Amino acid sequence: MRKSEALAAEAVSCLNRALAALRDIWEEIGIPEEQRLERTDVVKKHIKSLLDMMVAEEENLKERLLKSIALCRKELDTLCRELQLDPFEAEEESTILQLEKDLRTRVEVMLKQKRDRKQELKTLQEQDRDLCDILCTTHFCIDSNAVPSLEELDRYRRHLASLTAEKERRREEFVSTKRQIILCMEELDHTPDTSFERDVVCEDEEAFCLSTDNIAALQDLLQQLEARRSLNEAVCTELRSRIVALWERLQIPVEERETFAVHMTGSRAKTRKALQLEVDRLEELKLQNMKAVILAIRAELADYWDKCFYSQEQRDVFSPYYDEDYTETLLQLHDAEVGKVKHYYETHKDLFEAVQKWEENWKLFLELERKATDPSRFANRGGNLLKEEKQRAKLQKTLSKLQEELESRVQAWEQEREEAFLVKGQQFMEYVTEQWQLYRLEKEKEKQERHLKKSRQIEAEMMYGSAPRTPIKRRVLGPHTPGKVRKLNGTSISSATPNSTVRSAFGATLYHSPTSRLPPSGGKFGQAARTPNRVATKPPRPGHKERNKENMSQLNGTTLSARTFKGFQV
């Protein structure tokens, strides 16, 4: 049995006990039966009225609950539509009271969501207005009267986040650009003369409108100022270059240059003005010292000609170089020629430096070859000969490598520009070939000179006899017959005078003459000038033999080393 049924049974039992007690009281009092019936009817009516009233109240409560449920359902439907949510579905087995409670709670929750969304929308719209005012953009499109959905609010938040990021980016760009603009204006000594420039430089940063147009105008202003500054820097650089060149040409003292050193940096307007004044002063001074200036330019031009390996024919093309009528026109011609040759050198500087390196190594190679033929180098000690040999071997490899690299680079240069690369008026490889030919001719000339010198020495010794190289002790000669004919190896040689016999006796050596030659005087040396079939010779001294071997080996080594270079044989 449920508790409510038990309570109802207890209520009926209480009513019965109350009626029984009333009847007992009435009986004790002695109330007649008729009055008892009347009093019982009054009790019944009172109880019935009370129960009817209670039932009516509960019925009224039920009606109110049903009406509340209906209103809540209607409001829930509206809220679901506004909040763009799915319709609310109540539990089927719930009672009226539970249903009314659930619906009412759900309505309160959805009303709170509605208020929160509306409040968030209001806040987002305020932020949107502020950002749009700063960035000069249109507002986010959303219905202010409708309740926004969660997707709309999320999209609105992301839109505002992007606007905020854009504002920060533009703010940083504005601040950075403003700083650069101020620096440029300071360097140019420029004061803001337009309303936009004053807004950028003088107004508060927070008050500046960060619109795309303003940012673009800001960049244009910066580019204009930077262009002016770059032009100013270029002009100042050019003026400084002219000043330095004029200082060198006019040989301005160092003390005077140092007093002007404060203007040799920077590119402000006052600096540019000071540089221009200095150039004007130096140009005036140059006109007053025309000859000295032209001579200085000619020295500079000759230096660039040397760097570019100009031949004499190429230099002679510039005929004003030899003009002695020192006028301003002549100065202008020299300036133009220096500028042209300097530009040519700077354009091909790497190639000219490589050729210069080859030239230096070639001169060093020739110097080592000269040392190799110097007999006095054998008297040096401390391993100099070994060092020279190592240096020469290393230099041979370097020259060969440089020559191959330059040959390929020159070929590429000529193919690219469709013109010949000239070194002293010749194509590079022709120039290198000529250097090797000159080297071979010089070696051949030295060889011939040595042979000629040797031949003359032999002839002189054959005619006069060779003198002893070291003093020897004179020995006592026995008696002899003047004019006696001596026999050497079966060949008779008549001695015209006793002196010839004495020379032979003291170890003199007679050599075979390679060419016939008349004696200095007619009859006295007639027989000595004959060419014998066989000459008695004295073995050469060991010291001379070793030195001759060393010189011959050195000469042979030099010749072999020259053959190692590509395309050139010595």
Side-chain angles (χ1 to χ4, degrees):
M1 182 182 293
R2 292 185 298 180
K3 290 184 177 181
S4 59
E5 294 179 354
L7 289 175
E10 186 176 355
V12 172
S13 175
C14 290
L15 178 60
N16 290 330
R17 285 197 299 273
L19 289 174
L22 287 173
R23 283 195 302 269
D24 291 340
I25 293 172
W26 291 338
E27 186 154 349
E28 288 180 0
I29 294 173
I31 294 176
E33 185 65 25
E34 294 178 359
Q35 291 182 357
R36 290 182 186 179
L37 291 174
E38 291 177 1
R39 290 178 180 271
T40 302
D41 186 52
V42 171
V43 171
K44 184 194 71 165
K45 289 180 179 181
H46 181 70
I47 292 174
K48 184 176 180 300
S49 174
L50 181 59
L51 291 175
D52 290 340
M53 183 180 65
M54 294 178 64
V55 170
E57 288 179 357
E58 296 301 323
E59 287 290 342
N60 189 20
L61 175 60
K62 179 182 176 182
E63 292 295 330
R64 289 200 310 271
L65 290 175
L66 292 176
K67 288 181 180 180
S68 177
I69 289 173
L71 291 174
C72 288
R73 284 185 181 277
K74 184 178 180 180
E75 192 170 0
L76 278 174
D77 293 339
T78 304
L79 290 172
C80 287
R81 286 194 302 271
E82 291 178 347
L83 299 175
Q84 300 180 12
L85 299 175
D86 295 332
F88 177 76
E89 295 181 1
E91 297 180 3
E92 297 179 355
E93 297 180 355
S94 61
T95 60
I96 295 175
L97 184 63
Q98 184 64 39
L99 179 60
E100 191 274 340
K101 182 180 179 182
D102 293 341
L103 292 175
R104 181 164 39 83
T105 304
R106 184 62 179 172
V107 167
E108 292 175 356
V109 171
M110 297 185 72
L111 286 174
K112 185 176 184 303
Q113 289 183 4
K114 179 180 178 180
R115 288 193 301 270
D116 292 343
R117 290 189 189 184
K118 295 286 285 186
Q119 182 62 37
E120 185 176 4
L121 176 62
K122 182 180 179 181
T123 304
L124 293 176
Q125 286 178 331
E126 291 176 355
Q127 297 177 8
D128 190 21
R129 281 192 295 271
D130 295 338
L131 291 172
C132 290
D133 291 341
I134 295 174
L135 301 176
C136 295
T137 57
T138 57
H139 298 284
F140 185 78
C141 182
I142 192 171
D143 188 3
S144 301
N145 297 322
V147 179
S149 64
L150 295 177
E151 292 77 9
E152 290 176 337
L153 290 176
D154 183 64
R155 190 164 57 251
Y156 204 173
R157 284 191 292 267
R158 285 188 276 107
H159 172 72
L160 293 179
S162 64
L163 287 182
T164 303
E166 179 67 15
K167 184 192 77 170
E168 295 300 326
R169 187 191 67 79
R170 293 187 187 181
R171 178 74 63 190
E172 292 178 359
E173 182 178 0
F174 166 69
V175 172
S176 175
T177 307
K178 176 182 177 181
R179 187 180 302 110
Q180 297 179 45
I181 288 174
I182 292 175
L183 291 176
C184 288
M185 287 184 175
E186 290 178 353
E187 291 184 6
L188 296 172
D189 292 337
H190 175 77
T191 56
D193 52 4
T194 64
S195 59
F196 181 75
E197 292 179 0
R198 287 191 291 271
D199 290 341
V200 172
V201 177
C202 304
E203 296 296 332
D204 185 17
E205 294 180 358
E206 298 296 331
F208 185 79
C209 180
L210 300 176
S211 63
T212 54
D213 294 338
N214 282 355
I215 296 297
L218 199 67
Q219 292 296 334
D220 291 340
L221 176 60
L222 178 59
Q223 290 177 2
Q224 294 174 7
L225 294 174
E226 286 181 341
R228 290 175 55 187
R229 183 177 65 179
S230 299
L231 178 61
N232 209 34
E233 290 176 351
V235 172
C236 290
T237 302
E238 177 64 22
L239 291 174
R240 290 189 183 99
S241 299
R242 292 176 60 187
I243 288 173
V244 172
L246 290 171
W247 279 349
E248 295 297 330
R249 291 175 181 175
L250 298 173
Q251 296 182 354
I252 302 298
V254 178
E255 295 78 9
E256 187 175 347
R257 300 184 188 187
E258 291 178 350
T259 57
F260 191 77
V262 66
H263 300 293
M264 296 303 287
T265 57
S267 58
R268 292 178 177 269
K270 60 181 182 180
T271 302
R272 177 177 176 179
K273 183 178 180 180
L275 292 172
Q276 186 63 53
L277 291 175
E278 179 68 7
V279 168
D280 295 340
R281 184 184 72 85
L282 293 174
E283 289 289 345
E284 182 67 24
L285 190 61
K286 180 180 72 174
L287 295 177
Q288 298 174 5
N289 300 271
M290 188 68 67
K291 181 178 180 180
V293 172
I294 292 178
L295 292 178
I297 296 177
R298 284 178 177 174
E300 183 180 0
L301 180 59
D303 182 58
Y304 276 110
W305 279 345
D306 293 338
K307 290 181 178 179
C308 295
F309 299 96
Y310 269 34
S311 64
Q312 188 61 42
E313 291 77 9
Q314 289 176 296
R315 303 183 187 207
D316 292 341
V317 172
F318 183 65
S319 58
Y321 187 83
Y322 307 99
D323 193 350
E324 296 184 358
D325 185 13
Y326 301 104
T327 62
E328 187 174 358
T329 303
L330 185 64
L331 177 61
Q332 293 174 356
L333 292 174
H334 279 74
D335 280 333
E337 183 67 15
V338 168
K340 183 182 73 173
V341 179
K342 182 179 180 181
H343 176 72
Y344 177 68
Y345 173 75
E346 293 295 338
T347 304
H348 314 298
K349 184 176 180 180
D350 294 340
L351 197 54
F352 283 127
E353 288 180 348
V355 175
Q356 181 64 32
K357 186 176 180 181
W358 184 90
E359 278 275 325
E360 294 173 355
N361 282 274
W362 175 251
K363 291 178 181 178
L364 183 58
F365 170 74
L366 295 179
E367 179 65 20
L368 290 177
E369 291 294 313
R370 185 191 63 79
K371 289 182 178 180
T373 59
D374 186 6
S376 63
R377 72 193 186 103
F378 295 102
N380 296 330
R381 297 188 178 184
N384 289 337
L385 293 179
L386 182 59
K387 292 179 181 178
E388 289 180 6
E389 289 297 327
K390 290 182 178 179
Q391 186 178 6
R392 182 162 48 250
K394 181 179 179 181
L395 189 60
Q396 290 171 0
K397 295 179 181 179
T398 303
L399 269 175
S400 178
K401 182 178 180 181
L402 283 174
Q403 182 176 315
E404 292 177 358
E405 291 179 355
L406 276 172
E407 184 177 1
S408 61
R409 290 178 63 180
V410 168
Q411 289 178 356
W413 187 92
E414 292 178 342
Q415 292 176 359
E416 180 181 354
R417 292 165 178 78
E418 297 182 353
E419 59 177 315
F421 180 79
L422 301 180
V423 175
K424 297 183 180 179
Q426 298 176 287
Q427 291 189 3
F428 175 71
M429 295 311 300
E430 293 179 357
Y431 171 74
V432 174
T433 304
E434 182 181 7
Q435 297 302 309
W436 279 106
Q437 290 176 350
L438 293 175
Y439 168 74
R440 292 197 299 271
L441 291 175
E442 183 66 23
K443 298 296 290 185
E444 185 66 25
K445 181 180 178 182
E446 292 177 358
K447 182 179 179 181
Q448 292 177 0
E449 289 179 351
R450 287 196 302 270
H451 288 175
L452 181 60
K453 182 179 179 181
K454 190 67 176 177
S455 299
R456 290 176 178 175
Q457 181 181 357
I458 292 173
E459 291 178 4
E461 289 179 352
M462 288 183 63
M463 293 192 327
Y464 302 107
S466 60
R469 298 186 182 275
T470 57
I472 59 175
K473 184 175 181 180
R474 182 185 297 270
R475 45 178 194 175
V476 179
L477 297 177
H480 61 277
T481 304
K484 183 179 180 180
V485 178
R486 298 180 61 192
K487 290 185 178 181
L488 298 174
N489 297 329
T491 302
S492 63
I493 300 175
S494 63
S495 176
T497 62
N499 291 337
S500 61
T501 306
V502 173
R503 284 196 296 269
S504 298
F506 278 89
T509 304
L510 297 179
Y511 295 93
H512 183 275
S513 175
T515 58
S516 61
R517 181 177 176 181
L518 294 176
S521 59
K524 193 170 183 178
F525 296 96
Q527 296 178 355
R530 296 175 184 175
T531 304
N533 293 331
R534 185 180 296 260
V535 181
T537 60
K538 183 178 180 178
R541 300 177 66 184
H544 291 280
K545 184 177 182 181
E546 293 300 324
R547 282 197 294 272
N548 288 336
K549 285 183 179 180
E550 180 66 25
N551 289 335
M552 292 302 294
S553 65
Q554 184 63 40
L555 180 59
N556 293 334
T558 303
T559 304
L560 290 175
S561 65
R563 290 195 185 103
T564 60
F565 294 102
K566 178 182 179 182
F568 303 101
Q569 297 181 357
V570 180

